[in-house]
Amino acid sequence: MNKKNVVFIVLIFSVLSVFSQKVFKMEDVFYSASMYPKNLRQLQFVPKTNMFVYEQNQTLYRCLAPKSDTTAWITLSDLNTAMAVIGEDVLKRFPNIVYWKSKDEFYFQAMEKLYSYNVLNKKMLMLYTMEKSAKNIEWNYQHNKVAYTIDNNL
């Protein structure tokens, strides 16, 4: 090889090594929204089923594996209709599902309240209301209990 080829190869590897290395902090991987997939929010499997769900455009979609039959399942409008029936304020966006009680019922938190929504009968229950000043919140979804601190008191 002549000198030009060697210099050219070294230059290419130098440039590639500079642009191909990106160092991530552990916080970036878990907490940075830029690391999340751009198209699937709330991607999660529904326990004891062959189904997974994701939220897109204020609608929860379900997909039956392995066929990948995807259908719109629950809309923000469905949730708001159920919220109105129990006299609660409407939601501005689709809430984050925090726990699947069964394949047909999930829990979500909005403001200081924990709600349960049953997909089959489209009924909502308000399970628990917390103090606004609650900190260090820990839920036990199996027993519908919560522990939290207010001014460092449990």
Side-chain angles (χ1 to χ4, degrees), residues 122-139:
K122 297 189 180 224
K123 292 203 177 181
M124 180 86 62
L125 290 174
M126 196 275 296
L127 300 173
Y128 195 83
T129 303
M130 290 183 298
E131 299 285 330
K132 287 187 180 203
S133 58
K135 303 275 189 243
N136 305 313
I137 301 163
E138 293 290 329
W139 291 99

Side-chain angles (χ1 to χ4, degrees), residues 49-52 62-71:
T49 69
N50 62 340
M51 175 174 53
F52 66 89
R62 70 177 174 180
C63 185
L64 300 172
K67 295 179 183 178
S68 298
D69 295 336
T70 302
T71 56

Side-chain angles (χ1 to χ4, degrees), residues 18-36:
V18 168
F19 290 110
S20 67
Q21 297 295 321
K22 178 159 172 122
V23 177
F24 296 111
K25 293 186 242 171
M26 191 59 78
E27 293 85 18
D28 293 340
V29 174
F30 290 103
Y31 300 114
S32 174
S34 67
M35 300 295 290
Y36 295 157

Side-chain angles (χ1 to χ4, degrees), residues 4 12 14 30 55 63 92 100 103-104 129 143 153:
K4 286 184 181 181
I12 290 211
S14 299
F30 290 103
E55 186 259 321
C63 185
K92 292 181 172 57
W100 285 92
K103 66 182 176 100
D104 301 315
T129 303
H143 300 289
N153 293 317

Side-chain angles (χ1 to χ4, degrees), residues 31-73:
Y31 300 114
S32 174
S34 67
M35 300 295 290
Y36 295 157
K38 300 287 186 232
N39 56 351
L40 297 179
R41 287 191 65 238
Q42 296 198 56
L43 177 63
Q44 53 189 285
F45 276 95
V46 178
K48 299 180 183 173
T49 69
N50 62 340
M51 175 174 53
F52 66 89
V53 296
Y54 63 92
E55 186 259 321
Q56 192 172 45
N57 299 324
Q58 308 301 336
T59 300
L60 191 70
Y61 290 87
R62 70 177 174 180
C63 185
L64 300 172
K67 295 179 183 178
S68 298
D69 295 336
T70 302
T71 56
W73 196 25

